[in-house]
PDB file of all heavy atoms in Angstrom:
ATOM      1  N   ALA A  25       0.828  -1.206   0.000  1.00 53.00           N
ATOM      2  CA  ALA A  25       0.000   0.000   0.000  1.00 53.00           C
ATOM      3  C   ALA A  25       0.865   1.260   0.000  1.00 53.00           C
ATOM      4  O   ALA A  25       0.522   2.254  -0.614  1.00 53.00           O
ATOM      5  CB  ALA A  25      -0.941   0.010   1.183  1.00 53.00           C
ATOM      6  N   GLN A  26       1.985   1.208   0.683  1.00 55.00           N
ATOM      7  CA  GLN A  26       2.883   2.349   0.738  1.00 55.00           C
ATOM      8  C   GLN A  26       3.405   2.720  -0.655  1.00 55.00           C
ATOM      9  O   GLN A  26       3.526   3.871  -0.983  1.00 55.00           O
ATOM     10  CB  GLN A  26       4.073   2.064   1.667  1.00 55.00           C
ATOM     11  CG  GLN A  26       3.758   2.120   3.131  1.00 55.00           C
ATOM     12  CD  GLN A  26       3.451   3.538   3.559  1.00 55.00           C
ATOM     13  OE1 GLN A  26       2.302   3.941   3.541  1.00 55.00           O
ATOM     14  NE2 GLN A  26       4.477   4.267   3.915  1.00 55.00           N
ATOM     15  N   LYS A  27       3.713   1.730  -1.426  1.00 61.00           N
ATOM     16  CA  LYS A  27       4.303   1.978  -2.733  1.00 61.00           C
ATOM     17  C   LYS A  27       3.343   2.742  -3.641  1.00 61.00           C
ATOM     18  O   LYS A  27       3.733   3.687  -4.313  1.00 61.00           O
ATOM     19  CB  LYS A  27       4.717   0.660  -3.382  1.00 61.00           C
ATOM     20  CG  LYS A  27       5.578   0.832  -4.583  1.00 61.00           C
ATOM     21  CD  LYS A  27       6.187  -0.471  -5.031  1.00 61.00           C
ATOM     22  CE  LYS A  27       7.241  -0.228  -6.070  1.00 61.00           C
ATOM     23  NZ  LYS A  27       7.917  -1.443  -6.452  1.00 61.00           N
ATOM     24  N   SER A  28       2.081   2.383  -3.650  1.00 68.00           N
ATOM     25  CA  SER A  28       1.125   3.074  -4.504  1.00 68.00           C
ATOM     26  C   SER A  28       0.891   4.508  -4.031  1.00 68.00           C
ATOM     27  O   SER A  28       0.695   5.408  -4.821  1.00 68.00           O
ATOM     28  CB  SER A  28      -0.196   2.321  -4.586  1.00 68.00           C
ATOM     29  OG  SER A  28      -0.809   2.288  -3.314  1.00 68.00           O
ATOM     30  N   LYS A  29       0.916   4.711  -2.695  1.00 72.00           N
ATOM     31  CA  LYS A  29       0.726   6.061  -2.160  1.00 72.00           C
ATOM     32  C   LYS A  29       1.872   6.969  -2.586  1.00 72.00           C
ATOM     33  O   LYS A  29       1.661   8.097  -3.034  1.00 72.00           O
ATOM     34  CB  LYS A  29       0.620   6.014  -0.643  1.00 72.00           C
ATOM     35  CG  LYS A  29       0.352   7.368  -0.038  1.00 72.00           C
ATOM     36  CD  LYS A  29       0.195   7.296   1.457  1.00 72.00           C
ATOM     37  CE  LYS A  29      -0.030   8.662   2.045  1.00 72.00           C
ATOM     38  NZ  LYS A  29      -0.094   8.644   3.489  1.00 72.00           N
ATOM     39  N   SER A  30       3.097   6.495  -2.456  1.00 82.00           N
ATOM     40  CA  SER A  30       4.233   7.328  -2.824  1.00 82.00           C
ATOM     41  C   SER A  30       4.249   7.584  -4.337  1.00 82.00           C
ATOM     42  O   SER A  30       4.622   8.670  -4.772  1.00 82.00           O
ATOM     43  CB  SER A  30       5.543   6.705  -2.364  1.00 82.00           C
ATOM     44  OG  SER A  30       5.766   5.478  -3.014  1.00 82.00           O
ATOM     45  N   THR A  31       3.828   6.605  -5.118  1.00 88.00           N
ATOM     46  CA  THR A  31       3.770   6.783  -6.562  1.00 88.00           C
ATOM     47  C   THR A  31       2.724   7.836  -6.914  1.00 88.00           C
ATOM     48  O   THR A  31       2.955   8.693  -7.760  1.00 88.00           O
ATOM     49  CB  THR A  31       3.437   5.454  -7.261  1.00 88.00           C
ATOM     50  OG1 THR A  31       4.427   4.505  -6.911  1.00 88.00           O
ATOM     51  CG2 THR A  31       3.417   5.621  -8.761  1.00 88.00           C
ATOM     52  N   PHE A  32       1.588   7.781  -6.224  1.00 88.00           N
ATOM     53  CA  PHE A  32       0.549   8.771  -6.455  1.00 88.00           C
ATOM     54  C   PHE A  32       1.046  10.168  -6.084  1.00 88.00           C
ATOM     55  O   PHE A  32       0.843  11.132  -6.830  1.00 88.00           O
ATOM     56  CB  PHE A  32      -0.696   8.423  -5.632  1.00 88.00           C
ATOM     57  CG  PHE A  32      -1.789   9.438  -5.749  1.00 88.00           C
ATOM     58  CD1 PHE A  32      -2.557   9.522  -6.899  1.00 88.00           C
ATOM     59  CD2 PHE A  32      -2.032  10.338  -4.720  1.00 88.00           C
ATOM     60  CE1 PHE A  32      -3.559  10.477  -7.013  1.00 88.00           C
ATOM     61  CE2 PHE A  32      -3.020  11.290  -4.821  1.00 88.00           C
ATOM     62  CZ  PHE A  32      -3.794  11.363  -5.974  1.00 88.00           C
ATOM     63  N   GLN A  33       1.713  10.276  -4.938  1.00 90.00           N
ATOM     64  CA  GLN A  33       2.251  11.575  -4.516  1.00 90.00           C
ATOM     65  C   GLN A  33       3.289  12.081  -5.506  1.00 90.00           C
ATOM     66  O   GLN A  33       3.326  13.270  -5.826  1.00 90.00           O
ATOM     67  CB  GLN A  33       2.863  11.463  -3.125  1.00 90.00           C
ATOM     68  CG  GLN A  33       1.839  11.296  -2.032  1.00 90.00           C
ATOM     69  CD  GLN A  33       2.477  11.027  -0.684  1.00 90.00           C
ATOM     70  OE1 GLN A  33       3.632  10.613  -0.612  1.00 90.00           O
ATOM     71  NE2 GLN A  33       1.714  11.254   0.376  1.00 90.00           N
ATOM     72  N   LYS A  34       4.112  11.201  -5.995  1.00 92.00           N
ATOM     73  CA  LYS A  34       5.133  11.586  -6.961  1.00 92.00           C
ATOM     74  C   LYS A  34       4.474  12.080  -8.247  1.00 92.00           C
ATOM     75  O   LYS A  34       4.889  13.092  -8.824  1.00 92.00           O
ATOM     76  CB  LYS A  34       6.047  10.394  -7.262  1.00 92.00           C
ATOM     77  CG  LYS A  34       7.195  10.736  -8.165  1.00 92.00           C
ATOM     78  CD  LYS A  34       8.136   9.554  -8.341  1.00 92.00           C
ATOM     79  CE  LYS A  34       9.296   9.911  -9.233  1.00 92.00           C
ATOM     80  NZ  LYS A  34      10.207   8.783  -9.421  1.00 92.00           N
ATOM     81  N   ARG A  35       3.437  11.406  -8.682  1.00 93.00           N
ATOM     82  CA  ARG A  35       2.713  11.800  -9.884  1.00 93.00           C
ATOM     83  C   ARG A  35       2.081  13.187  -9.702  1.00 93.00           C
ATOM     84  O   ARG A  35       2.136  14.036 -10.584  1.00 93.00           O
ATOM     85  CB  ARG A  35       1.645  10.763 -10.221  1.00 93.00           C
ATOM     86  CG  ARG A  35       1.024  10.970 -11.580  1.00 93.00           C
ATOM     87  CD  ARG A  35       0.024   9.874 -11.946  1.00 93.00           C
ATOM     88  NE  ARG A  35       0.622   8.546 -11.854  1.00 93.00           N
ATOM     89  CZ  ARG A  35       0.136   7.539 -11.131  1.00 93.00           C
ATOM     90  NH1 ARG A  35      -0.959   7.701 -10.413  1.00 93.00           N
ATOM     91  NH2 ARG A  35       0.717   6.366 -11.118  1.00 93.00           N
ATOM     92  N   GLU A  36       1.500  13.426  -8.512  1.00 94.00           N
ATOM     93  CA  GLU A  36       0.896  14.729  -8.219  1.00 94.00           C
ATOM     94  C   GLU A  36       1.950  15.831  -8.201  1.00 94.00           C
ATOM     95  O   GLU A  36       1.727  16.918  -8.729  1.00 94.00           O
ATOM     96  CB  GLU A  36       0.161  14.680  -6.876  1.00 94.00           C
ATOM     97  CG  GLU A  36      -1.123  13.887  -6.905  1.00 94.00           C
ATOM     98  CD  GLU A  36      -2.136  14.459  -7.871  1.00 94.00           C
ATOM     99  OE1 GLU A  36      -2.394  15.667  -7.809  1.00 94.00           O
ATOM    100  OE2 GLU A  36      -2.649  13.689  -8.702  1.00 94.00           O
ATOM    101  N   LYS A  37       3.105  15.556  -7.620  1.00 95.00           N
ATOM    102  CA  LYS A  37       4.195  16.529  -7.605  1.00 95.00           C
ATOM    103  C   LYS A  37       4.627  16.868  -9.027  1.00 95.00           C
ATOM    104  O   LYS A  37       4.891  18.020  -9.359  1.00 95.00           O
ATOM    105  CB  LYS A  37       5.404  15.987  -6.841  1.00 95.00           C
ATOM    106  CG  LYS A  37       5.393  16.246  -5.385  1.00 95.00           C
ATOM    107  CD  LYS A  37       6.723  15.782  -4.795  1.00 95.00           C
ATOM    108  CE  LYS A  37       6.918  16.278  -3.402  1.00 95.00           C
ATOM    109  NZ  LYS A  37       8.182  15.843  -2.821  1.00 95.00           N
ATOM    110  N   GLU A  38       4.723  15.831  -9.851  1.00 96.00           N
ATOM    111  CA  GLU A  38       5.148  16.036 -11.238  1.00 96.00           C
ATOM    112  C   GLU A  38       4.117  16.879 -11.998  1.00 96.00           C
ATOM    113  O   GLU A  38       4.482  17.758 -12.783  1.00 96.00           O
ATOM    114  CB  GLU A  38       5.346  14.684 -11.922  1.00 96.00           C
ATOM    115  CG  GLU A  38       6.084  14.757 -13.226  1.00 96.00           C
ATOM    116  CD  GLU A  38       7.503  15.280 -13.091  1.00 96.00           C
ATOM    117  OE1 GLU A  38       8.158  15.038 -12.062  1.00 96.00           O
ATOM    118  OE2 GLU A  38       7.965  15.951 -14.030  1.00 96.00           O
ATOM    119  N   LYS A  39       2.829  16.644 -11.753  1.00 97.00           N
ATOM    120  CA  LYS A  39       1.779  17.449 -12.388  1.00 97.00           C
ATOM    121  C   LYS A  39       1.890  18.902 -11.960  1.00 97.00           C
ATOM    122  O   LYS A  39       1.762  19.815 -12.778  1.00 97.00           O
ATOM    123  CB  LYS A  39       0.394  16.912 -12.027  1.00 97.00           C
ATOM    124  CG  LYS A  39       0.001  15.650 -12.741  1.00 97.00           C
ATOM    125  CD  LYS A  39      -1.391  15.208 -12.307  1.00 97.00           C
ATOM    126  CE  LYS A  39      -1.791  13.896 -12.931  1.00 97.00           C
ATOM    127  NZ  LYS A  39      -3.132  13.469 -12.476  1.00 97.00           N
ATOM    128  N   GLU A  40       2.116  19.130 -10.659  1.00 97.00           N
ATOM    129  CA  GLU A  40       2.273  20.496 -10.153  1.00 97.00           C
ATOM    130  C   GLU A  40       3.481  21.176 -10.788  1.00 97.00           C
ATOM    131  O   GLU A  40       3.423  22.354 -11.146  1.00 97.00           O
ATOM    132  CB  GLU A  40       2.432  20.476  -8.629  1.00 97.00           C
ATOM    133  CG  GLU A  40       1.165  20.123  -7.883  1.00 97.00           C
ATOM    134  CD  GLU A  40       1.398  19.978  -6.389  1.00 97.00           C
ATOM    135  OE1 GLU A  40       2.491  20.357  -5.899  1.00 97.00           O
ATOM    136  OE2 GLU A  40       0.486  19.487  -5.710  1.00 97.00           O
ATOM    137  N   LYS A  41       4.566  20.437 -10.916  1.00 97.00           N
ATOM    138  CA  LYS A  41       5.781  20.979 -11.519  1.00 97.00           C
ATOM    139  C   LYS A  41       5.529  21.372 -12.979  1.00 97.00           C
ATOM    140  O   LYS A  41       5.941  22.445 -13.425  1.00 97.00           O
ATOM    141  CB  LYS A  41       6.894  19.935 -11.434  1.00 97.00           C
ATOM    142  CG  LYS A  41       8.229  20.406 -11.927  1.00 97.00           C
ATOM    143  CD  LYS A  41       9.287  19.327 -11.748  1.00 97.00           C
ATOM    144  CE  LYS A  41      10.624  19.763 -12.270  1.00 97.00           C
ATOM    145  NZ  LYS A  41      11.648  18.715 -12.136  1.00 97.00           N
ATOM    146  N   GLN A  42       4.836  20.515 -13.716  1.00 97.00           N
ATOM    147  CA  GLN A  42       4.535  20.811 -15.113  1.00 97.00           C
ATOM    148  C   GLN A  42       3.605  22.019 -15.234  1.00 97.00           C
ATOM    149  O   GLN A  42       3.790  22.864 -16.111  1.00 97.00           O
ATOM    150  CB  GLN A  42       3.916  19.591 -15.785  1.00 97.00           C
ATOM    151  CG  GLN A  42       4.899  18.468 -16.008  1.00 97.00           C
ATOM    152  CD  GLN A  42       4.231  17.203 -16.526  1.00 97.00           C
ATOM    153  OE1 GLN A  42       3.008  17.105 -16.577  1.00 97.00           O
ATOM    154  NE2 GLN A  42       5.049  16.223 -16.888  1.00 97.00           N
ATOM    155  N   GLN A  43       2.614  22.118 -14.337  1.00 97.00           N
ATOM    156  CA  GLN A  43       1.704  23.260 -14.356  1.00 97.00           C
ATOM    157  C   GLN A  43       2.462  24.551 -14.057  1.00 97.00           C
ATOM    158  O   GLN A  43       2.235  25.574 -14.698  1.00 97.00           O
ATOM    159  CB  GLN A  43       0.569  23.068 -13.343  1.00 97.00           C
ATOM    160  CG  GLN A  43      -0.449  24.183 -13.359  1.00 97.00           C
ATOM    161  CD  GLN A  43      -1.155  24.310 -14.695  1.00 97.00           C
ATOM    162  OE1 GLN A  43      -1.518  23.320 -15.312  1.00 97.00           O
ATOM    163  NE2 GLN A  43      -1.323  25.531 -15.144  1.00 97.00           N
ATOM    164  N   LYS A  44       3.368  24.495 -13.115  1.00 97.00           N
ATOM    165  CA  LYS A  44       4.175  25.666 -12.769  1.00 97.00           C
ATOM    166  C   LYS A  44       5.022  26.096 -13.972  1.00 97.00           C
ATOM    167  O   LYS A  44       5.149  27.283 -14.252  1.00 97.00           O
ATOM    168  CB  LYS A  44       5.070  25.335 -11.573  1.00 97.00           C
ATOM    169  CG  LYS A  44       5.823  26.515 -11.037  1.00 97.00           C
ATOM    170  CD  LYS A  44       6.598  26.149  -9.782  1.00 97.00           C
ATOM    171  CE  LYS A  44       7.383  27.331  -9.269  1.00 97.00           C
ATOM    172  NZ  LYS A  44       8.168  27.001  -8.072  1.00 97.00           N
ATOM    173  N   GLN A  45       5.581  25.126 -14.697  1.00 97.00           N
ATOM    174  CA  GLN A  45       6.375  25.437 -15.889  1.00 97.00           C
ATOM    175  C   GLN A  45       5.501  26.086 -16.961  1.00 97.00           C
ATOM    176  O   GLN A  45       5.917  27.042 -17.617  1.00 97.00           O
ATOM    177  CB  GLN A  45       7.033  24.175 -16.440  1.00 97.00           C
ATOM    178  CG  GLN A  45       8.172  23.662 -15.594  1.00 97.00           C
ATOM    179  CD  GLN A  45       8.711  22.318 -16.076  1.00 97.00           C
ATOM    180  OE1 GLN A  45       8.061  21.605 -16.825  1.00 97.00           O
ATOM    181  NE2 GLN A  45       9.908  21.992 -15.626  1.00 97.00           N
ATOM    182  N   ARG A  46       4.265  25.585 -17.131  1.00 97.00           N
ATOM    183  CA  ARG A  46       3.349  26.174 -18.125  1.00 97.00           C
ATOM    184  C   ARG A  46       2.975  27.604 -17.732  1.00 97.00           C
ATOM    185  O   ARG A  46       2.947  28.498 -18.583  1.00 97.00           O
ATOM    186  CB  ARG A  46       2.093  25.319 -18.266  1.00 97.00           C
ATOM    187  CG  ARG A  46       2.311  24.054 -19.074  1.00 97.00           C
ATOM    188  CD  ARG A  46       1.001  23.372 -19.418  1.00 97.00           C
ATOM    189  NE  ARG A  46       0.311  22.877 -18.235  1.00 97.00           N
ATOM    190  CZ  ARG A  46       0.395  21.633 -17.776  1.00 97.00           C
ATOM    191  NH1 ARG A  46       1.123  20.750 -18.423  1.00 97.00           N
ATOM    192  NH2 ARG A  46      -0.264  21.281 -16.701  1.00 97.00           N
ATOM    193  N   ASP A  47       2.717  27.808 -16.437  1.00 97.00           N
ATOM    194  CA  ASP A  47       2.385  29.151 -15.960  1.00 97.00           C
ATOM    195  C   ASP A  47       3.547  30.117 -16.175  1.00 97.00           C
ATOM    196  O   ASP A  47       3.363  31.253 -16.603  1.00 97.00           O
ATOM    197  CB  ASP A  47       2.018  29.121 -14.475  1.00 97.00           C
ATOM    198  CG  ASP A  47       0.726  28.375 -14.201  1.00 97.00           C
ATOM    199  OD1 ASP A  47      -0.061  28.147 -15.153  1.00 97.00           O
ATOM    200  OD2 ASP A  47       0.492  28.017 -13.024  1.00 97.00           O
ATOM    201  N   LYS A  48       4.744  29.647 -15.894  1.00 97.00           N
ATOM    202  CA  LYS A  48       5.936  30.469 -16.052  1.00 97.00           C
ATOM    203  C   LYS A  48       6.138  30.835 -17.535  1.00 97.00           C
ATOM    204  O   LYS A  48       6.447  31.979 -17.863  1.00 97.00           O
ATOM    205  CB  LYS A  48       7.158  29.717 -15.521  1.00 97.00           C
ATOM    206  CG  LYS A  48       8.395  30.541 -15.401  1.00 97.00           C
ATOM    207  CD  LYS A  48       9.484  29.749 -14.689  1.00 97.00           C
ATOM    208  CE  LYS A  48      10.723  30.574 -14.483  1.00 97.00           C
ATOM    209  NZ  LYS A  48      11.771  29.825 -13.770  1.00 97.00           N
ATOM    210  N   GLU A  49       5.947  29.872 -18.401  1.00 97.00           N
ATOM    211  CA  GLU A  49       6.080  30.131 -19.844  1.00 97.00           C
ATOM    212  C   GLU A  49       5.022  31.122 -20.308  1.00 97.00           C
ATOM    213  O   GLU A  49       5.301  32.013 -21.119  1.00 97.00           O
ATOM    214  CB  GLU A  49       5.979  28.820 -20.627  1.00 97.00           C
ATOM    215  CG  GLU A  49       6.216  28.990 -22.118  1.00 97.00           C
ATOM    216  CD  GLU A  49       7.609  29.482 -22.463  1.00 97.00           C
ATOM    217  OE1 GLU A  49       8.550  29.230 -21.696  1.00 97.00           O
ATOM    218  OE2 GLU A  49       7.745  30.149 -23.511  1.00 97.00           O
ATOM    219  N   ALA A  50       3.800  31.015 -19.778  1.00 97.00           N
ATOM    220  CA  ALA A  50       2.735  31.955 -20.139  1.00 97.00           C
ATOM    221  C   ALA A  50       3.103  33.371 -19.685  1.00 97.00           C
ATOM    222  O   ALA A  50       2.875  34.341 -20.417  1.00 97.00           O
ATOM    223  CB  ALA A  50       1.418  31.520 -19.511  1.00 97.00           C
ATOM    224  N   ARG A  51       3.676  33.499 -18.478  1.00 97.00           N
ATOM    225  CA  ARG A  51       4.112  34.823 -17.998  1.00 97.00           C
ATOM    226  C   ARG A  51       5.207  35.381 -18.891  1.00 97.00           C
ATOM    227  O   ARG A  51       5.226  36.579 -19.191  1.00 97.00           O
ATOM    228  CB  ARG A  51       4.606  34.734 -16.554  1.00 97.00           C
ATOM    229  CG  ARG A  51       3.500  34.611 -15.539  1.00 97.00           C
ATOM    230  CD  ARG A  51       3.997  34.847 -14.118  1.00 97.00           C
ATOM    231  NE  ARG A  51       5.168  34.063 -13.758  1.00 97.00           N
ATOM    232  CZ  ARG A  51       5.147  32.857 -13.200  1.00 97.00           C
ATOM    233  NH1 ARG A  51       3.988  32.277 -12.953  1.00 97.00           N
ATOM    234  NH2 ARG A  51       6.254  32.235 -12.885  1.00 97.00           N
TER     235      ARG A  51
END
């Protein structure tokens, strides 16, 4: 169960990072 939770958190972090990059490029 731990492995799937950390994978999910990692995926969410990566999505946030990509969104931040898109926002920065838009600015």
Side-chain angles (χ1 to χ4, degrees):
Q26 285 291 91
K27 192 169 191 176
S28 64
K29 183 178 178 184
S30 64
T31 302
F32 177 74
Q33 289 173 340
K34 185 175 181 180
R35 190 176 305 125
E36 288 299 310
K37 272 186 167 180
E38 194 62 33
K39 285 180 184 179
E40 289 174 11
K41 184 177 178 182
Q42 289 173 352
Q43 183 62 42
K44 187 175 178 181
Q45 288 174 342
R46 284 191 295 265
D47 293 343
K48 190 172 183 179
E49 184 63 27
R51 284 193 309 269

